[in-house]
Amino acid sequence: MASRPDGQVGMLVKRWRERRRRSQLDVSLAADLSAKHLSYIETGRSNPSRQMIERICDELDVPLRERNRFYLAAGLAPAHSERPFADLGAAEAAVRAVLAGMEPNPAVAVNVRWDLWATNRAMQPFLGDLPAELAGPPVNMLRVTLHPDGLAPRIRNLQQWRAHALRRVRRQLESPRDVTLDEIAIETFFPADATTARILRSLTTPPA
């Protein structure tokens, strides 16, 4: 049984609606509820059901980890589980197949915190000589690529990569039915010139 409304879930709804720059009327129409009902939810006068939370979160594109906070705030059990990467079964195999398919270009799979979960063969030489302070575990790819003792000196367009990475982090902070799977991202590092491409091919080509 849901707890009495205390406004906590309403504050989350309002925060995410404003973050997505959506009006109450817009969200209420899309989520199939009245604007008055949505207003009651946001002000704590009404506690939404599990189905209502899911519809609102779908419209606001709320990440699964954050959706669990909605459920808890409404007095409900979290709906989305979280498992280690190694327990994802067929999904793990699919991620590793994508990484292998990126060769000879280096590629990694990371979670929402940019911690390294998997890598292809092309990426391994770049991570093999990291200093102890960067070697983990876990290896944090954001820190590794931006740190002066990590991969930063090897990235020719470092300023562009830094700007891209920071934009990604900001979007993640603002932003499958499993938390782990929902948060996986695959990062691929493409060569900037023909020389780099040739070197990458040599790193993954077995000796004759």
Side-chain angles (χ1 to χ4, degrees), residues 88-109:
L88 292 181
E92 180 197 2
V95 170
R96 293 190 183 278
V98 171
L99 294 177
M102 294 294 181
E103 294 176 357
N105 300 315
V108 298

Side-chain angles (χ1 to χ4, degrees), residues 68 132 205:
N68 281 341
T205 301

Side-chain angles (χ1 to χ4, degrees), residues 68-83:
N68 281 341
R69 294 176 181 170
F70 277 66
Y71 292 120
L72 289 171
L76 302 168
H80 306 292
S81 61
E82 182 173 9
R83 294 173 288 167

